[in-house]
Amino acid sequence: MKTQGYAVKSVNAPLESYEFSRRDLRPRDVALDIYFAGICHSDIHQAREEWGPAIFPMVPGHEIVGRVIEIGSQVSKFKVGELIGVGVFVDSCRKCASCNAGLEQYCVEGMTGTYNTLERDGKTVAMGGYSNKFVIDEDYAVHIPENLDLAGVAPLMCAGITLYSPLKNWKAGPGKKVGIMGLGGLGHMGLKFAHALGAETTVFSHSPEKEAGAKAMGADHFVVTKDVKNLERLEKSFDLILNTVSAHLDLEPYLKMLKLDGTFVVIALPGKPYQINVGTMLDQRRSLAGSMIGGMAELQQMLNFCGEHNIVSDVEVIKADYINTAYERTVASDVKYRFVIDAKSF
Ligand code: NAP
Ligand code: ZN
Ligand code: ZN
């Protein structure tokens, strides 16, 4: 299937127009016209090899929404014309304990990413969502509620599920104090979900100009992190803190804000190890945890929750020729709060 997209051809090169082919439909495959693709900071980390060697040419993009245009002979989950979403992975082993538990993102053999990886045949390079067409096994795609703004739905496929999953896992809700570090693509979804779940939600941001936006999205408190005294005042007060800050930072003042049995969840992946003071962890019996996206069942559950609560991402829709500028602006924390590419422009 002839596909038009945008690719990075070598590390740090600008993205440029790129034509490639997608596979013919297998019996359980679905083909879709992509409508919108979000720009995740993970796309930038990988295009710039901040996580180690990458595969080029790379078509990034794992926040994909569109409509089904064709189905394979054995497809039962989708019909032509239905809305469909694809996220951060396109396959997994389907037989390990994690896959059987619906936690495909933690597949023991490793999930198959949507791009910058080889598919399970060991030779086909997976090509991501900055493109106008996609082919996906029906088990790794989800239904999209028809009532939501589609551009705002695309970021739910990564940013949304990545915050929804830990908030549910660590039981954010009424009576719980939740902190969200960084009000970017992931962080603003974390704020919307924590608020919708009924938690008292605090945003920690190094961008004072984001305060009004945070309050409008439901933040109970907004703390500017540039002065560490603002954090010291809040020591031993949070049940749960989620870190979405894409840059490296000192976690110590944040860990100290956890109260007894509180949990700090590492979500951002800036690519450099953090230093942890063990004494801070022993005090208050604090926990340090990680969390990666969410499984297929939870992804569908989150989309249904968004449909019911009318939750989407706040987006700035761009054309493909703006992607390189969008990357620079994302790194500068200058987007409210996610860039989404209109796939008609590829
Ligand atoms: P993003 O939109 O760029 O947001 C990151 C936010 O971090 C910014 O908006 C900014 O918030 C804050 N920040 C950035 N640079 C900073 C600096 N120098 N000092 C202090 N704060 C800074 O990124 P994203 O797409 O949300 O992704 C965030 C991170 O999560 C990335 O590392 C990404 O790779 C990772 N990620 C992980 C998963 C997972 O499954 N665990 C999934 C997707 C992405 P303020 O302006 O409010 O300070
Ligand atoms: Zn992502
Ligand atoms: Zn598996």
Side-chain angles (χ1 to χ4, degrees), residues 306-339:
C306 289
E308 284 156 27
H309 293 82
N310 206 18
I311 292 176
V312 287
S313 171
D314 288 16
V315 299
E316 195 173 317
V317 178
I318 60 165
K319 293 201 165 73
D321 61 8
Y322 193 76
I323 294 174
N324 293 303
T325 309
Y327 272 29
E328 295 310 322
R329 284 186 50 199
T330 300
V331 172
S333 307
D334 175 26
V335 52
K336 287 179 178 169
Y337 291 89
R338 195 58 135 193
F339 285 111

PDB file of all heavy atoms in Angstrom, residues 306-339:
ATOM      1  N   CYS A 306     -13.024   8.532  28.417  1.00  0.00           N
ATOM      2  CA  CYS A 306     -12.930   9.849  27.764  1.00  0.00           C
ATOM      3  C   CYS A 306     -14.239  10.186  27.052  1.00  0.00           C
ATOM      4  O   CYS A 306     -14.696  11.333  27.082  1.00  0.00           O
ATOM      5  CB  CYS A 306     -11.773   9.872  26.765  1.00  0.00           C
ATOM      6  SG  CYS A 306     -10.173   9.847  27.567  1.00  0.00           S
ATOM      7  N   GLY A 307     -14.824   9.174  26.403  1.00  0.00           N
ATOM      8  CA  GLY A 307     -16.112   9.389  25.734  1.00  0.00           C
ATOM      9  C   GLY A 307     -17.180   9.815  26.732  1.00  0.00           C
ATOM     10  O   GLY A 307     -17.948  10.748  26.483  1.00  0.00           O
ATOM     11  N   GLU A 308     -17.205   9.138  27.890  1.00  0.00           N
ATOM     12  CA  GLU A 308     -18.222   9.448  28.911  1.00  0.00           C
ATOM     13  C   GLU A 308     -17.993  10.811  29.554  1.00  0.00           C
ATOM     14  O   GLU A 308     -18.938  11.525  29.873  1.00  0.00           O
ATOM     15  CB  GLU A 308     -18.202   8.380  30.025  1.00  0.00           C
ATOM     16  CG  GLU A 308     -18.860   7.070  29.622  1.00  0.00           C
ATOM     17  CD  GLU A 308     -18.327   5.890  30.445  1.00  0.00           C
ATOM     18  OE1 GLU A 308     -17.884   6.099  31.589  1.00  0.00           O
ATOM     19  OE2 GLU A 308     -18.341   4.760  29.909  1.00  0.00           O
ATOM     20  N   HIS A 309     -16.738  11.173  29.784  1.00  0.00           N
ATOM     21  CA  HIS A 309     -16.425  12.430  30.483  1.00  0.00           C
ATOM     22  C   HIS A 309     -16.034  13.555  29.528  1.00  0.00           C
ATOM     23  O   HIS A 309     -15.612  14.621  29.968  1.00  0.00           O
ATOM     24  CB  HIS A 309     -15.296  12.206  31.499  1.00  0.00           C
ATOM     25  CG  HIS A 309     -15.700  11.323  32.647  1.00  0.00           C
ATOM     26  ND1 HIS A 309     -15.705   9.952  32.557  1.00  0.00           N
ATOM     27  CD2 HIS A 309     -16.142  11.616  33.891  1.00  0.00           C
ATOM     28  CE1 HIS A 309     -16.112   9.439  33.717  1.00  0.00           C
ATOM     29  NE2 HIS A 309     -16.386  10.433  34.532  1.00  0.00           N
ATOM     30  N   ASN A 310     -16.133  13.294  28.242  1.00  0.00           N
ATOM     31  CA  ASN A 310     -15.769  14.279  27.219  1.00  0.00           C
ATOM     32  C   ASN A 310     -14.349  14.822  27.425  1.00  0.00           C
ATOM     33  O   ASN A 310     -14.122  16.035  27.439  1.00  0.00           O
ATOM     34  CB  ASN A 310     -16.796  15.417  27.215  1.00  0.00           C
ATOM     35  CG  ASN A 310     -16.862  16.093  25.864  1.00  0.00           C
ATOM     36  OD1 ASN A 310     -16.410  15.514  24.862  1.00  0.00           O
ATOM     37  ND2 ASN A 310     -17.376  17.300  25.817  1.00  0.00           N
ATOM     38  N   ILE A 311     -13.407  13.917  27.573  1.00  0.00           N
ATOM     39  CA  ILE A 311     -12.008  14.308  27.790  1.00  0.00           C
ATOM     40  C   ILE A 311     -11.214  14.069  26.509  1.00  0.00           C
ATOM     41  O   ILE A 311     -11.227  12.970  25.954  1.00  0.00           O
ATOM     42  CB  ILE A 311     -11.386  13.484  28.944  1.00  0.00           C
ATOM     43  CG1 ILE A 311     -12.046  13.868  30.268  1.00  0.00           C
ATOM     44  CG2 ILE A 311      -9.870  13.693  29.001  1.00  0.00           C
ATOM     45  CD1 ILE A 311     -11.570  13.059  31.460  1.00  0.00           C
ATOM     46  N   VAL A 312     -10.548  15.121  26.043  1.00  0.00           N
ATOM     47  CA  VAL A 312      -9.580  14.989  24.947  1.00  0.00           C
ATOM     48  C   VAL A 312      -8.365  15.828  25.301  1.00  0.00           C
ATOM     49  O   VAL A 312      -8.388  16.593  26.260  1.00  0.00           O
ATOM     50  CB  VAL A 312     -10.139  15.460  23.577  1.00  0.00           C
ATOM     51  CG1 VAL A 312     -11.155  14.487  23.012  1.00  0.00           C
ATOM     52  CG2 VAL A 312     -10.711  16.863  23.678  1.00  0.00           C
ATOM     53  N   SER A 313      -7.330  15.702  24.499  1.00  0.00           N
ATOM     54  CA  SER A 313      -6.129  16.510  24.679  1.00  0.00           C
ATOM     55  C   SER A 313      -6.369  17.908  24.102  1.00  0.00           C
ATOM     56  O   SER A 313      -7.111  18.064  23.136  1.00  0.00           O
ATOM     57  CB  SER A 313      -4.983  15.823  23.935  1.00  0.00           C
ATOM     58  OG  SER A 313      -3.847  16.637  23.877  1.00  0.00           O
ATOM     59  N   ASP A 314      -5.737  18.921  24.706  1.00  0.00           N
ATOM     60  CA  ASP A 314      -5.741  20.270  24.114  1.00  0.00           C
ATOM     61  C   ASP A 314      -4.615  20.309  23.089  1.00  0.00           C
ATOM     62  O   ASP A 314      -3.459  20.089  23.453  1.00  0.00           O
ATOM     63  CB  ASP A 314      -5.484  21.332  25.194  1.00  0.00           C
ATOM     64  CG  ASP A 314      -6.681  21.496  26.120  1.00  0.00           C
ATOM     65  OD1 ASP A 314      -7.554  20.614  26.129  1.00  0.00           O
ATOM     66  OD2 ASP A 314      -6.728  22.509  26.844  1.00  0.00           O
ATOM     67  N   VAL A 315      -4.948  20.586  21.846  1.00  0.00           N
ATOM     68  CA  VAL A 315      -3.951  20.409  20.785  1.00  0.00           C
ATOM     69  C   VAL A 315      -3.773  21.655  19.933  1.00  0.00           C
ATOM     70  O   VAL A 315      -4.655  22.511  19.865  1.00  0.00           O
ATOM     71  CB  VAL A 315      -4.329  19.233  19.855  1.00  0.00           C
ATOM     72  CG1 VAL A 315      -4.385  17.933  20.635  1.00  0.00           C
ATOM     73  CG2 VAL A 315      -5.648  19.477  19.136  1.00  0.00           C
ATOM     74  N   GLU A 316      -2.623  21.705  19.276  1.00  0.00           N
ATOM     75  CA  GLU A 316      -2.357  22.687  18.234  1.00  0.00           C
ATOM     76  C   GLU A 316      -2.177  21.870  16.952  1.00  0.00           C
ATOM     77  O   GLU A 316      -1.219  21.096  16.844  1.00  0.00           O
ATOM     78  CB  GLU A 316      -1.079  23.465  18.580  1.00  0.00           C
ATOM     79  CG  GLU A 316      -0.911  24.712  17.772  1.00  0.00           C
ATOM     80  CD  GLU A 316       0.277  25.581  18.239  1.00  0.00           C
ATOM     81  OE1 GLU A 316       0.469  25.767  19.448  1.00  0.00           O
ATOM     82  OE2 GLU A 316       1.003  26.064  17.350  1.00  0.00           O
ATOM     83  N   VAL A 317      -3.131  21.989  16.036  1.00  0.00           N
ATOM     84  CA  VAL A 317      -3.070  21.183  14.805  1.00  0.00           C
ATOM     85  C   VAL A 317      -2.146  21.866  13.801  1.00  0.00           C
ATOM     86  O   VAL A 317      -2.239  23.070  13.569  1.00  0.00           O
ATOM     87  CB  VAL A 317      -4.480  20.999  14.200  1.00  0.00           C
ATOM     88  CG1 VAL A 317      -4.412  20.208  12.907  1.00  0.00           C
ATOM     89  CG2 VAL A 317      -5.398  20.282  15.194  1.00  0.00           C
ATOM     90  N   ILE A 318      -1.232  21.080  13.243  1.00  0.00           N
ATOM     91  CA  ILE A 318      -0.234  21.637  12.304  1.00  0.00           C
ATOM     92  C   ILE A 318      -0.232  20.841  10.997  1.00  0.00           C
ATOM     93  O   ILE A 318      -0.766  19.732  10.926  1.00  0.00           O
ATOM     94  CB  ILE A 318       1.189  21.591  12.913  1.00  0.00           C
ATOM     95  CG1 ILE A 318       1.589  20.131  13.223  1.00  0.00           C
ATOM     96  CG2 ILE A 318       1.261  22.457  14.167  1.00  0.00           C
ATOM     97  CD1 ILE A 318       3.081  19.966  13.478  1.00  0.00           C
ATOM     98  N   LYS A 319       0.423  21.432  10.001  1.00  0.00           N
ATOM     99  CA  LYS A 319       0.645  20.707   8.745  1.00  0.00           C
ATOM    100  C   LYS A 319       2.028  20.036   8.817  1.00  0.00           C
ATOM    101  O   LYS A 319       2.881  20.433   9.618  1.00  0.00           O
ATOM    102  CB  LYS A 319       0.605  21.686   7.579  1.00  0.00           C
ATOM    103  CG  LYS A 319      -0.780  22.293   7.357  1.00  0.00           C
ATOM    104  CD  LYS A 319      -0.872  22.829   5.921  1.00  0.00           C
ATOM    105  CE  LYS A 319      -2.312  23.101   5.540  1.00  0.00           C
ATOM    106  NZ  LYS A 319      -2.856  24.300   6.206  1.00  0.00           N
ATOM    107  N   ALA A 320       2.226  19.048   7.939  1.00  0.00           N
ATOM    108  CA  ALA A 320       3.461  18.257   8.001  1.00  0.00           C
ATOM    109  C   ALA A 320       4.723  19.122   7.885  1.00  0.00           C
ATOM    110  O   ALA A 320       5.725  18.849   8.546  1.00  0.00           O
ATOM    111  CB  ALA A 320       3.437  17.208   6.887  1.00  0.00           C
ATOM    112  N   ASP A 321       4.664  20.180   7.078  1.00  0.00           N
ATOM    113  CA  ASP A 321       5.892  20.968   6.887  1.00  0.00           C
ATOM    114  C   ASP A 321       6.252  21.809   8.113  1.00  0.00           C
ATOM    115  O   ASP A 321       7.252  22.525   8.108  1.00  0.00           O
ATOM    116  CB  ASP A 321       5.797  21.832   5.618  1.00  0.00           C
ATOM    117  CG  ASP A 321       4.643  22.830   5.683  1.00  0.00           C
ATOM    118  OD1 ASP A 321       4.018  22.961   6.750  1.00  0.00           O
ATOM    119  OD2 ASP A 321       4.376  23.471   4.638  1.00  0.00           O
ATOM    120  N   TYR A 322       5.448  21.708   9.167  1.00  0.00           N
ATOM    121  CA  TYR A 322       5.745  22.442  10.406  1.00  0.00           C
ATOM    122  C   TYR A 322       6.376  21.528  11.468  1.00  0.00           C
ATOM    123  O   TYR A 322       6.745  21.974  12.546  1.00  0.00           O
ATOM    124  CB  TYR A 322       4.444  23.061  10.948  1.00  0.00           C
ATOM    125  CG  TYR A 322       4.636  24.091  12.048  1.00  0.00           C
ATOM    126  CD1 TYR A 322       5.075  25.387  11.768  1.00  0.00           C
ATOM    127  CD2 TYR A 322       4.379  23.760  13.387  1.00  0.00           C
ATOM    128  CE1 TYR A 322       5.240  26.324  12.782  1.00  0.00           C
ATOM    129  CE2 TYR A 322       4.537  24.690  14.404  1.00  0.00           C
ATOM    130  CZ  TYR A 322       4.971  25.974  14.090  1.00  0.00           C
ATOM    131  OH  TYR A 322       5.135  26.906  15.095  1.00  0.00           O
ATOM    132  N   ILE A 323       6.527  20.221  11.151  1.00  0.00           N
ATOM    133  CA  ILE A 323       6.982  19.252  12.169  1.00  0.00           C
ATOM    134  C   ILE A 323       8.321  19.671  12.797  1.00  0.00           C
ATOM    135  O   ILE A 323       8.491  19.603  14.023  1.00  0.00           O
ATOM    136  CB  ILE A 323       7.117  17.824  11.565  1.00  0.00           C
ATOM    137  CG1 ILE A 323       5.746  17.288  11.156  1.00  0.00           C
ATOM    138  CG2 ILE A 323       7.765  16.877  12.565  1.00  0.00           C
ATOM    139  CD1 ILE A 323       5.790  15.951  10.421  1.00  0.00           C
ATOM    140  N   ASN A 324       9.266  20.115  11.967  1.00  0.00           N
ATOM    141  CA  ASN A 324      10.594  20.447  12.521  1.00  0.00           C
ATOM    142  C   ASN A 324      10.513  21.616  13.503  1.00  0.00           C
ATOM    143  O   ASN A 324      11.169  21.607  14.552  1.00  0.00           O
ATOM    144  CB  ASN A 324      11.591  20.730  11.392  1.00  0.00           C
ATOM    145  CG  ASN A 324      11.868  19.466  10.586  1.00  0.00           C
ATOM    146  OD1 ASN A 324      12.298  18.450  11.140  1.00  0.00           O
ATOM    147  ND2 ASN A 324      11.568  19.502   9.290  1.00  0.00           N
ATOM    148  N   THR A 325       9.701  22.601  13.174  1.00  0.00           N
ATOM    149  CA  THR A 325       9.495  23.725  14.102  1.00  0.00           C
ATOM    150  C   THR A 325       8.778  23.231  15.357  1.00  0.00           C
ATOM    151  O   THR A 325       9.113  23.636  16.484  1.00  0.00           O
ATOM    152  CB  THR A 325       8.644  24.824  13.421  1.00  0.00           C
ATOM    153  OG1 THR A 325       9.244  25.126  12.164  1.00  0.00           O
ATOM    154  CG2 THR A 325       8.576  26.084  14.260  1.00  0.00           C
ATOM    155  N   ALA A 326       7.815  22.336  15.154  1.00  0.00           N
ATOM    156  CA  ALA A 326       7.073  21.789  16.305  1.00  0.00           C
ATOM    157  C   ALA A 326       8.017  21.050  17.254  1.00  0.00           C
ATOM    158  O   ALA A 326       7.853  21.108  18.476  1.00  0.00           O
ATOM    159  CB  ALA A 326       5.961  20.858  15.811  1.00  0.00           C
ATOM    160  N   TYR A 327       9.003  20.342  16.710  1.00  0.00           N
ATOM    161  CA  TYR A 327       9.984  19.654  17.569  1.00  0.00           C
ATOM    162  C   TYR A 327      10.720  20.686  18.433  1.00  0.00           C
ATOM    163  O   TYR A 327      10.873  20.495  19.642  1.00  0.00           O
ATOM    164  CB  TYR A 327      11.003  18.870  16.718  1.00  0.00           C
ATOM    165  CG  TYR A 327      10.581  17.456  16.372  1.00  0.00           C
ATOM    166  CD1 TYR A 327       9.242  17.095  16.254  1.00  0.00           C
ATOM    167  CD2 TYR A 327      11.530  16.457  16.172  1.00  0.00           C
ATOM    168  CE1 TYR A 327       8.871  15.796  15.942  1.00  0.00           C
ATOM    169  CE2 TYR A 327      11.172  15.145  15.862  1.00  0.00           C
ATOM    170  CZ  TYR A 327       9.843  14.824  15.746  1.00  0.00           C
ATOM    171  OH  TYR A 327       9.477  13.528  15.440  1.00  0.00           O
ATOM    172  N   GLU A 328      11.188  21.760  17.802  1.00  0.00           N
ATOM    173  CA  GLU A 328      11.932  22.780  18.565  1.00  0.00           C
ATOM    174  C   GLU A 328      11.041  23.373  19.648  1.00  0.00           C
ATOM    175  O   GLU A 328      11.473  23.566  20.788  1.00  0.00           O
ATOM    176  CB  GLU A 328      12.436  23.901  17.642  1.00  0.00           C
ATOM    177  CG  GLU A 328      13.468  23.450  16.611  1.00  0.00           C
ATOM    178  CD  GLU A 328      14.611  22.650  17.220  1.00  0.00           C
ATOM    179  OE1 GLU A 328      15.055  22.978  18.341  1.00  0.00           O
ATOM    180  OE2 GLU A 328      15.035  21.659  16.579  1.00  0.00           O
ATOM    181  N   ARG A 329       9.810  23.678  19.284  1.00  0.00           N
ATOM    182  CA  ARG A 329       8.897  24.293  20.261  1.00  0.00           C
ATOM    183  C   ARG A 329       8.537  23.311  21.388  1.00  0.00           C
ATOM    184  O   ARG A 329       8.386  23.719  22.540  1.00  0.00           O
ATOM    185  CB  ARG A 329       7.634  24.806  19.563  1.00  0.00           C
ATOM    186  CG  ARG A 329       7.884  26.117  18.787  1.00  0.00           C
ATOM    187  CD  ARG A 329       6.600  26.695  18.221  1.00  0.00           C
ATOM    188  NE  ARG A 329       5.553  26.792  19.226  1.00  0.00           N
ATOM    189  CZ  ARG A 329       4.244  26.906  18.943  1.00  0.00           C
ATOM    190  NH1 ARG A 329       3.847  26.969  17.670  1.00  0.00           N
ATOM    191  NH2 ARG A 329       3.352  26.975  19.904  1.00  0.00           N
ATOM    192  N   THR A 330       8.425  22.021  21.075  1.00  0.00           N
ATOM    193  CA  THR A 330       8.132  21.039  22.134  1.00  0.00           C
ATOM    194  C   THR A 330       9.290  20.984  23.134  1.00  0.00           C
ATOM    195  O   THR A 330       9.081  21.014  24.350  1.00  0.00           O
ATOM    196  CB  THR A 330       7.877  19.643  21.526  1.00  0.00           C
ATOM    197  OG1 THR A 330       6.758  19.732  20.642  1.00  0.00           O
ATOM    198  CG2 THR A 330       7.588  18.599  22.599  1.00  0.00           C
ATOM    199  N   VAL A 331      10.509  20.938  22.610  1.00  0.00           N
ATOM    200  CA  VAL A 331      11.684  20.877  23.499  1.00  0.00           C
ATOM    201  C   VAL A 331      11.751  22.135  24.375  1.00  0.00           C
ATOM    202  O   VAL A 331      12.166  22.080  25.530  1.00  0.00           O
ATOM    203  CB  VAL A 331      12.984  20.690  22.670  1.00  0.00           C
ATOM    204  CG1 VAL A 331      14.219  20.824  23.550  1.00  0.00           C
ATOM    205  CG2 VAL A 331      12.967  19.327  21.979  1.00  0.00           C
ATOM    206  N   ALA A 332      11.276  23.263  23.846  1.00  0.00           N
ATOM    207  CA  ALA A 332      11.275  24.520  24.606  1.00  0.00           C
ATOM    208  C   ALA A 332      10.035  24.655  25.500  1.00  0.00           C
ATOM    209  O   ALA A 332       9.781  25.726  26.053  1.00  0.00           O
ATOM    210  CB  ALA A 332      11.375  25.697  23.645  1.00  0.00           C
ATOM    211  N   SER A 333       9.257  23.587  25.662  1.00  0.00           N
ATOM    212  CA  SER A 333       8.005  23.592  26.460  1.00  0.00           C
ATOM    213  C   SER A 333       7.033  24.655  25.963  1.00  0.00           C
ATOM    214  O   SER A 333       6.255  25.215  26.723  1.00  0.00           O
ATOM    215  CB  SER A 333       8.282  23.819  27.960  1.00  0.00           C
ATOM    216  OG  SER A 333       9.223  22.908  28.443  1.00  0.00           O
ATOM    217  N   ASP A 334       7.052  24.931  24.665  1.00  0.00           N
ATOM    218  CA  ASP A 334       6.239  25.991  24.083  1.00  0.00           C
ATOM    219  C   ASP A 334       5.104  25.405  23.239  1.00  0.00           C
ATOM    220  O   ASP A 334       5.040  25.627  22.025  1.00  0.00           O
ATOM    221  CB  ASP A 334       7.153  26.905  23.235  1.00  0.00           C
ATOM    222  CG  ASP A 334       6.366  27.965  22.482  1.00  0.00           C
ATOM    223  OD1 ASP A 334       5.272  28.335  22.949  1.00  0.00           O
ATOM    224  OD2 ASP A 334       6.860  28.403  21.419  1.00  0.00           O
ATOM    225  N   VAL A 335       4.240  24.617  23.868  1.00  0.00           N
ATOM    226  CA  VAL A 335       3.054  24.116  23.173  1.00  0.00           C
ATOM    227  C   VAL A 335       1.965  23.858  24.207  1.00  0.00           C
ATOM    228  O   VAL A 335       2.238  23.383  25.310  1.00  0.00           O
ATOM    229  CB  VAL A 335       3.363  22.829  22.354  1.00  0.00           C
ATOM    230  CG1 VAL A 335       4.059  21.778  23.203  1.00  0.00           C
ATOM    231  CG2 VAL A 335       2.083  22.247  21.740  1.00  0.00           C
ATOM    232  N   LYS A 336       0.740  24.216  23.853  1.00  0.00           N
ATOM    233  CA  LYS A 336      -0.398  23.964  24.750  1.00  0.00           C
ATOM    234  C   LYS A 336      -1.388  23.059  24.041  1.00  0.00           C
ATOM    235  O   LYS A 336      -2.179  23.525  23.267  1.00  0.00           O
ATOM    236  CB  LYS A 336      -1.049  25.271  25.156  1.00  0.00           C
ATOM    237  CG  LYS A 336      -0.164  26.025  26.163  1.00  0.00           C
ATOM    238  CD  LYS A 336      -0.765  27.324  26.555  1.00  0.00           C
ATOM    239  CE  LYS A 336       0.132  28.000  27.602  1.00  0.00           C
ATOM    240  NZ  LYS A 336      -0.248  29.391  27.839  1.00  0.00           N
ATOM    241  N   TYR A 337      -1.310  21.703  24.346  1.00  0.00           N
ATOM    242  CA  TYR A 337      -0.235  21.088  25.110  1.00  0.00           C
ATOM    243  C   TYR A 337       0.369  19.950  24.291  1.00  0.00           C
ATOM    244  O   TYR A 337       1.254  19.266  24.742  1.00  0.00           O
ATOM    245  CB  TYR A 337      -0.776  20.590  26.464  1.00  0.00           C
ATOM    246  CG  TYR A 337      -1.136  21.784  27.347  1.00  0.00           C
ATOM    247  CD1 TYR A 337      -2.395  22.366  27.309  1.00  0.00           C
ATOM    248  CD2 TYR A 337      -0.175  22.354  28.177  1.00  0.00           C
ATOM    249  CE1 TYR A 337      -2.697  23.477  28.093  1.00  0.00           C
ATOM    250  CE2 TYR A 337      -0.480  23.459  28.970  1.00  0.00           C
ATOM    251  CZ  TYR A 337      -1.736  24.019  28.907  1.00  0.00           C
ATOM    252  OH  TYR A 337      -2.031  25.124  29.668  1.00  0.00           O
ATOM    253  N   ARG A 338      -0.179  19.769  23.068  1.00  0.00           N
ATOM    254  CA  ARG A 338       0.318  18.721  22.184  1.00  0.00           C
ATOM    255  C   ARG A 338       0.184  19.182  20.736  1.00  0.00           C
ATOM    256  O   ARG A 338      -0.880  19.680  20.334  1.00  0.00           O
ATOM    257  CB  ARG A 338      -0.555  17.468  22.373  1.00  0.00           C
ATOM    258  CG  ARG A 338      -0.012  16.182  21.824  1.00  0.00           C
ATOM    259  CD  ARG A 338       1.297  15.802  22.361  1.00  0.00           C
ATOM    260  NE  ARG A 338       1.449  14.427  22.758  1.00  0.00           N
ATOM    261  CZ  ARG A 338       2.485  14.022  23.480  1.00  0.00           C
ATOM    262  NH1 ARG A 338       3.427  14.846  23.853  1.00  0.00           N
ATOM    263  NH2 ARG A 338       2.600  12.743  23.811  1.00  0.00           N
ATOM    264  N   PHE A 339       1.241  19.006  19.942  1.00  0.00           N
ATOM    265  CA  PHE A 339       1.119  19.210  18.498  1.00  0.00           C
ATOM    266  C   PHE A 339       0.528  17.962  17.875  1.00  0.00           C
ATOM    267  O   PHE A 339       0.916  16.833  18.214  1.00  0.00           O
ATOM    268  CB  PHE A 339       2.495  19.465  17.868  1.00  0.00           C
ATOM    269  CG  PHE A 339       3.036  20.835  18.134  1.00  0.00           C
ATOM    270  CD1 PHE A 339       4.146  21.004  18.956  1.00  0.00           C
ATOM    271  CD2 PHE A 339       2.447  21.959  17.570  1.00  0.00           C
ATOM    272  CE1 PHE A 339       4.648  22.270  19.209  1.00  0.00           C
ATOM    273  CE2 PHE A 339       2.948  23.232  17.818  1.00  0.00           C
ATOM    274  CZ  PHE A 339       4.050  23.387  18.644  1.00  0.00           C
TER     275      PHE A 339
END
